[in-house]
Structure formats: structure tokens, C-alpha cells
Amino acid sequence: MLNELDRLTFNCIKCGYCKAACPVYKEIGEEAASPRGRVRLIRGVYAGDVSLSQRYRKLIELCISCRACTAECPSGVSPNQAVLNARHHLAIECGIPLIKRLIFRRAMTARRMFPASAKLLGFLQRAIILQSRYSPARLILPILGLPFDKAIPYFQLKTFRDRMPEVIPTTNRKYRVAYFVGCGANLIYPEIGEAVVNLLTYFGVEVVIPRKQMCCGTPVFTSGDFEGATHLARQNLKVLSNLDVDAIITACGSCGTTIKHEWHDLLGIEVPSELTSKVYDITEFLTDCLAVSLSAHIPKAKTITYHDPCHLVRGMGVQNQPRKLLSSLADTRYVELASADTCCGGGGAYSIYHPDMSRKIGARKVDNVLKTEADLVATGCPVCILQLREMFSIARILRQVEHTAVVLNRALKEKSQN
């Protein structure tokens, strides 16, 4: 493990180009909280000069894994990969907290238990009216280290995958694809999954939704549990490898990046290139494979802007495709967002572990959105949607925040009705 930390940090020339891109460093301004500072700390652990102290753990856990540092590094160093491995090293040496171990190793690896647990939570959330700001149950949130007004979406009582058949046929079939749904669309935002399926079938694509797919493993390995993430990855790999499909579609940049890169690069699993080359974001597949252009308008939105999810733009390299699709909408003005590819502060479960830092980063994104005067913000990640909706809610500003697929699907429905 120490040799891996050495390999990942050896080429750092301490130039500091990564600092300007780091959203956490922008808020703290402390060298040790910058990507360069973390790399030096990790090298210190490798050399035996730095101990695995609480201070070290805090600085390593403060990274939001947005990959902006890696994109800036002229030496080819991946500070985010070094940080993820440093978290794995901490998990090996210091252990994983019991609650996380139970969730990652028990609940999430049990294919039926995980969604069943989410449904039970959804029932309890509704029983105590948790989404209401006036729910007495919210008094417990500050005890758990969360803001009283934390946005907590309801888990669905009937998940997306419960609602859909395993195969959705289409007429005039051009392609047959598998849809890797991801936890966000399956458990919280089923409208994303419905939009993806509607768009694909409308344009002549048969969709397979594998019943045995599980979490991609992103929230597990970002907490340092590579063993738990490897188990999930191998289960998914087995499912996806046995499918006779032309492509694997995702609507979450983190899921797509993990399948394309992290299973192999981070977890060291042999993933056939024939499989990774089939992974597409939904907007990427619509533009690059189906040449879709929608000359339809969407109701109640005259101006649209777009926020780049970190893992979609820097992990999957998808940047122009959603803009091309959104710009093709009729009677709607597309406005580019300043610093669109800067993190919104969501960062998976980051907003739960570091709510104050998450909101500071998110506030910058909200300021930029307001300057566009857009009615609607489109994005390609369920966590970004949750984060941006929370930020607008606490600022008491009305703005629509939707997944790009949902926006496109709504335009398509409007076109079909007229």
C-alpha cells in the first residue's frame, strides 16, 4: 500500500498549478488543504515523517474528489487518486467505522435488501414528514452534525426498477442497449430513469434494465473501502459482461466514470476494453450515435443554463453533447454558465460529511447561476440536482433544477402533443 502511495505522488514537482482549481482550497486558503499539500502529506506518510493523526485524516477526507486538480497537473499526477488510496490506507490501518461497514458490506451488497431498506426509510421519512422544515424530527439533525434545514429527499416507496420491465422494446430498432440505472435514479429520482427510457425508445433503441445490477461502488471506495467496492464491481461486471447489447447507458457521471475507469484504475479489476468502450452517458449516446436534435420547446423555461457534473466532464469527457442538445430546443435561449465545470459542492455524500464546506462551495455556483438569469439549470448527475435544489431552497430563490434527460423528455412530450 505504501509503495502505491509513493507511485501516485512521486512525480509531483510542487508547482502548485492544482491549487487554483481546487474548490476546497479556494474556501480555506490553507496549503495543507490544497491538492499539493495533500500530496506532500501522503508522501510524508510513505516516508514515515507523518503519522496517521486525526489532523491528517481530516485533511484527506476534506477532498471532494472533483478531479479538477488532476486535470490541471502538468506532471501527470492524479492527486485525487492519491487521496482515494490514502483513504484506503487509513481504512486498512485504522479500520472503517461500524455504521459504514454495515452499510457497505451488508446492506449494499445484498441486492434485494438495499432497495428494501431504502423503501422502509422512505416510509419512515413520510411518517415523520421529514421534508417539512417544521418537522420535529429535524431537531435530531444538528445532533448528527447536519444543518437543521438540510435537504433530505424522500426515498421512493416503489423504485424505478420496480416500475419497469427488464426489456423495453421499440419499433424500428436501431440499437439494443443496457441501462445502468444507478442508485440516485432508482431510489430517489425515478423521473430520470423514465426520461432515459422514453428518449431511447422514441429514437428506436431497445432498452434492457438488468435486474441484478447493483450500486457501482463509488460511495464505497470514496470512503476507503476498496474491498466492499470491489465486491460490487465484480457483481456488476458479471451482469454487464453477459449481455448482448450495443452500448451501456448511464445518466450519472459518477456511475459512468466508475465503470469506464475506476474499476480498473483504482480497484485493479480486469475489465475488458470491449465493455468500457460501450459505456455512454445518455446525452453522449443521443448526439454521437443517434444524431438527435430536438426542435421542440419546453414549457415554463425561456432561458436555460447547464452545470457540468465533475465526473461527467472530467471522468467521461462529456461536455459538448448536453450543450448541443439543450441549444437545439426551440423558443428557448441557452446561456453559458460561468465556471460551469467547477464543483457545485455536492460530491456524493460530501454534503453529509462536510455540510459547511459543501454549502460554501455551492454558494459560488448559485451566484454564477443567478448572473445568467436562467429559469432552469440542467445537469447530468442526481447529486448535483440535490445539491443545487438545496442551495436555491436555503437562499429562498425559485429556480428549476433538472436532469438533462428530464428536460429533453419534457420537450419531446410537448412536441408529441402539438
Side-chain angles (χ1 to χ4, degrees):
M1 188 71 243
L2 287 175
N3 289 338
E4 183 66 1
L5 296 182
D6 175 43
R7 185 187 71 79
L8 289 165
T9 57
F10 182 78
N11 289 330
C12 177
I13 58 174
K14 305 178 181 63
C15 64
Y17 283 0
C18 54
K19 292 168 66 175
C22 176
V24 175
Y25 177 72
K26 282 179 187 173
E27 301 302 331
I28 296 180
E30 183 182 340
E31 171 68 18
S34 71
R36 182 176 70 179
R38 292 191 194 99
V39 166
R40 293 183 69 180
L41 283 171
I42 293 167
R43 286 205 65 73
V45 167
Y46 162 72
D49 300 329
V50 174
S51 66
L52 303 183
S53 62
Q54 285 301 314
R55 165 78 172 159
Y56 171 78
R57 175 187 286 273
K58 180 181 176 184
L59 289 166
I60 293 300
E61 289 180 349
L62 260 181
C63 172
I64 199 167
S65 295
C66 68
R67 290 173 164 250
C69 51
T70 297
E72 292 295 322
C73 182
S75 303
V77 176
S78 299
N80 69 295
Q81 290 278 326
V83 164
L84 291 171
N85 276 276
R87 290 177 183 172
H88 179 41
H89 181 232
L90 279 165
I92 292 171
E93 297 297 326
C94 308
I96 300 168
L98 177 62
I99 184 68
K100 285 188 177 180
R101 212 161 56 238
L102 289 172
I103 293 172
F104 297 158
R105 302 278 180 90
R106 300 294 179 189
M108 292 181 73
T109 55
R111 187 170 56 84
R112 290 190 176 86
M113 188 203 298
F114 186 44
S117 302
K119 286 182 223 175
L120 178 61
L121 276 175
F123 176 78
L124 293 174
Q125 286 175 318
R126 288 166 176 79
I128 59 178
I129 325 173
L130 191 58
Q131 279 191 346
S132 168
R133 291 185 177 216
Y134 306 103
S135 170
R138 284 190 165 269
L139 293 172
I140 198 172
L141 296 182
I143 299 172
L144 299 174
L146 296 171
F148 182 82
D149 56 355
K150 175 71 183 164
I152 302 176
Y154 284 162
F155 286 104
Q156 293 294 308
L157 301 180
K158 189 173 183 180
T159 68
F160 167 73
R161 281 162 52 196
D162 286 343
R163 305 173 190 202
M164 303 299 289
E166 187 164 11
V167 178
I168 301 102
T170 184
T171 54
N172 302 318
R173 189 178 101 177
K174 298 173 185 170
Y175 294 100
R176 186 173 196 258
V177 305
Y179 175 28
F180 190 87
V181 179
C183 300
N186 187 43
L187 304 177
I188 300 174
Y189 299 126
E191 66 273 18
I192 297 175
E194 291 163 4
V196 168
V197 170
N198 287 344
L199 286 165
L200 290 171
T201 52
Y202 181 87
F203 291 108
V205 180
E206 182 174 287
V207 181
V208 180
I209 304 175
R211 286 292 178 214
K212 293 185 178 178
Q213 63 179 288
M214 303 173 81
C215 170
C216 67
T218 302
V220 185
F221 66 66
T222 53
S223 291
D225 186 0
F226 282 20
E227 187 179 328
T230 298
H231 176 83
L232 292 167
R234 289 193 187 283
Q235 294 298 314
N236 283 314
L237 189 55
K238 187 177 175 184
V239 171
L240 296 175
S241 298
N242 290 328
L243 295 173
D244 178 21
V245 293
D246 302 303
I248 299 166
I249 307 299
T250 66
C252 168
S254 295
C255 292
T257 297
T258 293
I259 299 171
K260 279 180 85 78
H261 303 295
E262 304 293 32
W263 286 354
H264 176 268
D265 298 348
L266 188 70
L267 303 178
I269 299 171
E270 285 298 323
V271 184
S273 59
E274 295 81 11
L275 187 143
T276 55
S277 64
K278 286 183 181 178
V279 180
Y280 291 85
D281 176 68
I282 177 65
T283 58
E284 188 180 18
F285 191 76
L286 290 174
T287 53
D288 298 358
C289 299
L290 294 169
V292 166
S293 179
L294 289 173
S295 55
H297 82 278
I298 96 167
K300 299 180 182 177
K302 294 295 182 187
T303 307
I304 295 181
T305 192
Y306 177 75
H307 158 67
D308 288 291
C310 298
H311 293 173
L312 187 58
V313 65
R314 285 182 285 276
M316 298 184 74
V318 174
Q319 187 169 32
N320 296 326
Q321 294 90 338
R323 288 172 169 80
K324 185 176 180 182
L325 289 164
L326 293 169
S327 299
S328 73
L329 295 173
D331 302 326
T332 301
R333 187 170 65 103
Y334 177 79
V335 181
E336 189 58 34
L337 175 65
S339 302
D341 63 350
T342 301
C343 182
C344 67
Y350 191 87
S351 68
I352 296 174
Y353 300 140
H354 307 283
D356 293 339
M357 179 58 65
S358 170
R359 286 189 171 185
K360 285 178 182 175
I361 297 170
R364 290 179 186 263
K365 181 65 66 175
V366 167
D367 287 345
N368 285 336
V369 171
L370 294 180
K371 288 173 187 171
T372 67
E373 298 183 353
D375 310 295
L376 190 155
V377 185
T379 187
C381 167
V383 172
C384 295
I385 292 169
L386 175 61
Q387 168 74 355
L388 292 173
R389 285 179 181 175
E390 174 176 331
M391 293 306 302
F392 283 118
S393 173
I394 60 177
R396 298 185 183 278
I397 296 170
L398 287 176
R399 285 291 184 285
Q400 292 183 71
V401 182
E402 302 285 1
H403 195 284
T404 309
V406 173
V407 176
L408 299 175
N409 186 49
R410 201 186 310 158
L412 199 62
K413 283 185 177 176
E414 186 74 8
K415 183 179 180 180
S416 301
Q417 290 170 0
N418 291 329

